[in-house]
């Protein structure tokens, strides 16, 4: 389906020519004072939209679940105090009603909500006939269909100022990111909907303040159109996502260090392509390393069972069979036989060393 998008989906952001579109503000609205202090710090930063979560979808019960409707007026006032539009996450038709009553300027759909077509439909229906920008975060699982489907549901309800936010995907991995960025998915979305602005949320991707700059730069290298970065007047005291929030001063420094790419420049397009492929390689290497570590851990478990049963750790027949099977399987995948043999010699050598050490 073709989505009818406005010619300038980011018009409500009031971006001056050449500026990088940025949404900033706390993970959660905690008090009027926290929002006012954060906003006044942000007044000195090149940002366009003030954000805050009011109703917080927490993975486990018992965590801080947001201040609720009362905080909408605080957010609106904080935005007015610095002359910026404000945005909140809505996860139900009631949230939409409350947000519209408080003249919230734009809405975003959280990752958990995007994954639920029934809820998305009820939010979209609540917005029928309302002209408000809606930003749709990727679903928590890496499924482009759900992301596209949510955007289509809003488009069907007449919302034409849409944007997509990449906040990473929830995977089983224990890598360095809280939510794995899978860049090819937002890039594929952009290929299918070229007029759709792509925003990157490095805060929820990294889960950690010290990784924000690198991921934000990756996003700009891939020609993303803007950023959403969680910012708090006192990050260490934040009631949610404390580790990933930065102060307005830190945000200013981060924005100052980002290099912009010019999409009209052919060589930048080349760079974006190479950069996307390199990110894919990095992700694959990351998985390879984790798989190797987990293979070694299993070898150590085997060693413990063997020791308990007084069995030798090196079993020549098993090793011959492994080597034969792996090099055949590698060949079937187009990998060189000698390369496979050498690789497995190395893996086996290290596994034996680790088995010796296993207690
Ligand atoms: C948020 O932006 O604070 C949030 C809860 O995000 P996500 O839906 O990406 O988890
Ligand atoms: Mn958050």
């Amino acid at each position: 389906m073709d989505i009818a998008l406005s010619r300038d989906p980011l018009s409500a952001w009031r971006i001056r020519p050449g500026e990088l579109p940025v949404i900033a503000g706390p993970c959660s609205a905690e008090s009027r004072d926290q929002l006012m202090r954060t906003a006044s710090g942000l007044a000195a930063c090149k940002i366009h939209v003030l954000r805050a979560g009011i109703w917080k979808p927490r993975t486990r019960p018992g965590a801080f679940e947001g201040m609720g409707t009362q905080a909408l007026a605080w957010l609106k006032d904080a935005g007015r105090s610095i002359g910026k539009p404000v945005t909140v996450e809505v996860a139900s038709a009631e949230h939409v009603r409350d947000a519209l009553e408080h003249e919230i300027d734009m809405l975003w759909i959280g990752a958990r909500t995007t994954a639920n077509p029934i809820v998305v439909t009820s939010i979209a229906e609540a917005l029928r006939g309302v002209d408000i920008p809606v930003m749709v975060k990727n679903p928590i699982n890496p499924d482009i269909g759900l992301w596209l489907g949510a955007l289509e549901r809003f488009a069907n309800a007449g919302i034409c100022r849409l944007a997509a936010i990449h906040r990473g995907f929830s995977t089983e991995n224990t890598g360095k990111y809280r939510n794995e960025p899978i860049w090819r998915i937002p890039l594929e979305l952009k290929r299918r909907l070229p007029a759709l602005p792509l925003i990157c949320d490095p805060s929820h991707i990294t889960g950690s303040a010290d990784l924000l700059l690198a991921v934000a730069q990756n996003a700009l290298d891939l020609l993303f159109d803007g950023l959403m970065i969680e910012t708090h007047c006192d990050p260490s005291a934040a009631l949610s996502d404390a580790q990933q929030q930065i102060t307005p001063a830190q945000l200013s420094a981060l924005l100052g260090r980002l290099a912009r790419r010019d999409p009209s420049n052919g060589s930048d397009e080349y760079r974006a392509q190479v950069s996307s492929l390199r990110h894919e390689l990095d992700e694959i290497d990351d998985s390879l390393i984790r798989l190797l570590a987990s293979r070694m851990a299993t070898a150590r478990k085997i060693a413990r069972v063997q020791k308990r049963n007084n069995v030798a750790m090196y079993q020549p027949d098993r090793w011959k069979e492994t080597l034969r099977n792996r090099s055949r399987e590698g060949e079937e995948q187009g990998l060189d036989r000698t390369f496979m043999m050498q690789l497995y010699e190395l893996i086996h050598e290290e596994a034996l060393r680790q088995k010796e050490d296993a207690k």
Side-chain angles (χ1 to χ4, degrees):
M1 174 196 134
D2 219 20
I3 287 189
L5 280 174
S6 126
R7 259 197 292 147
D8 183 7
L10 302 188
S11 55
W13 297 38
R14 301 183 218 130
I15 298 149
R16 294 205 202 91
E19 283 181 346
L20 171 69
V22 178
I23 308 169
C27 176
S28 303
E30 298 166 4
S31 67
R32 176 180 279 277
D33 181 58
Q34 169 243 12
L35 282 176
M36 284 299 182
R37 280 174 48 209
T38 306
S40 90
L42 287 170
C45 303
K46 291 201 173 99
I47 70 135
H48 302 87
V49 181
L50 181 66
R51 66 152 275 159
I54 303 290
W55 303 281
K56 299 303 297 177
R58 305 311 298 275
T59 302
R60 306 281 305 277
F64 173 65
E65 290 185 333
M67 299 303 290
T69 307
Q70 58 176 334
L72 290 169
W74 307 340
L75 176 64
K76 188 66 192 174
D77 288 349
R80 282 203 183 103
S81 73
I82 55 167
K84 302 287 177 202
V86 297
T87 183
V88 293
E89 172 179 348
V90 288
S92 71
E94 293 76 57
H95 294 169
V96 168
R97 189 199 54 213
D98 288 358
L100 294 178
E101 245 168 46
H102 287 81
E103 295 175 31
I104 298 302
D105 304 282
M106 25 188 127
L107 305 174
W108 90 80
I109 306 302
R112 292 158 192 79
T113 305
T114 307
N116 186 332
I118 293 181
V119 179
V120 170
T121 302
S122 74
I123 296 173
E125 283 312 315
L127 285 172
R128 193 173 282 285
V130 181
D131 180 20
I132 189 168
V134 176
M135 299 174 284
V136 181
K137 288 197 168 194
N138 63 256
I140 42 178
N141 51 325
D143 180 344
I144 194 171
L146 279 171
W147 203 356
L148 204 52
L151 289 159
E152 286 166 345
R153 288 185 162 89
F154 286 107
N156 285 346
I159 302 292
C160 63
R161 286 183 290 166
L162 287 165
I165 303 178
H166 182 32
R167 50 76 80 194
F169 297 94
S170 184
T171 59
E172 205 191 5
N173 83 64
T174 48
K176 64 178 171 181
Y177 297 123
R178 177 179 178 194
N179 291 294
E180 189 91 13
I182 305 181
W183 300 101
R184 75 187 129 77
I185 295 182
L187 295 180
E188 171 61 16
L189 194 66
K190 183 83 170 177
R191 194 187 64 76
R192 295 200 206 173
L193 303 169
L196 181 76
L198 277 188
I199 316 292
C200 177
D201 169 352
S203 305
H204 290 90
I205 289 178
T206 62
S208 150
D210 55 345
L211 298 173
L212 292 175
L213 176 64
V215 169
Q217 185 62 61
N218 281 352
L220 297 194
D221 290 348
L222 297 172
L223 303 179
F224 270 60
D225 303 283
L227 298 172
M228 177 189 256
I229 299 185
E230 286 189 342
T231 318
H232 193 290
C233 53
D234 182 4
S236 61
L239 298 180
S240 59
D241 290 353
Q243 304 218 343
Q244 70 196 32
Q245 302 206 59
I246 54 177
T247 62
Q250 289 170 318
L251 177 68
S252 231
L254 184 153
L255 294 176
R257 291 177 66 189
L258 288 173
R260 296 289 300 280
R261 310 296 181 208
D262 176 4
S264 61
N265 180 333
S267 70
D268 275 328
E269 206 171 306
Y270 150 81
R271 246 205 318 263
Q273 267 177 19
V274 171
S275 180
S276 162
L277 291 169
R278 285 190 179 141
H279 290 306
E280 248 178 85
L281 274 189
D282 288 347
E283 281 161 22
I284 294 169
D285 282 343
D286 223 46
S287 317
L288 266 179
I289 291 167
R290 270 182 275 124
L291 282 174
L292 277 173
S294 115
R295 192 189 192 285
M296 293 302 162
T298 303
R300 290 195 299 273
K301 277 189 208 156
I302 293 177
R304 284 182 211 111
V305 180
Q306 286 171 328
K307 276 182 192 165
R308 272 203 303 276
N309 290 279
N310 211 17
V311 174
M313 271 188 279
Y314 174 49
Q315 300 283 331
D317 288 345
R318 162 74 186 163
W319 166 232
K320 261 190 243 153
E321 186 194 322
T322 304
L323 198 57
R324 197 173 45 243
N325 289 343
R326 298 302 168 262
S327 37
R328 181 180 42 77
E329 286 158 11
E331 263 188 319
E332 283 165 14
Q333 301 283 328
L335 295 168
D336 181 75
R337 192 177 179 82
T338 316
F339 163 72
M340 287 303 293
M341 305 272 272
Q342 288 171 342
L343 180 65
Y344 268 85
E345 297 277 4
L346 275 175
I347 290 176
H348 186 238
E349 205 176 298
E350 175 62 7
L352 281 180
R353 200 189 60 73
Q354 294 225 10
K355 284 174 88 172
E356 284 297 336
D357 288 352
K359 294 256 162 34

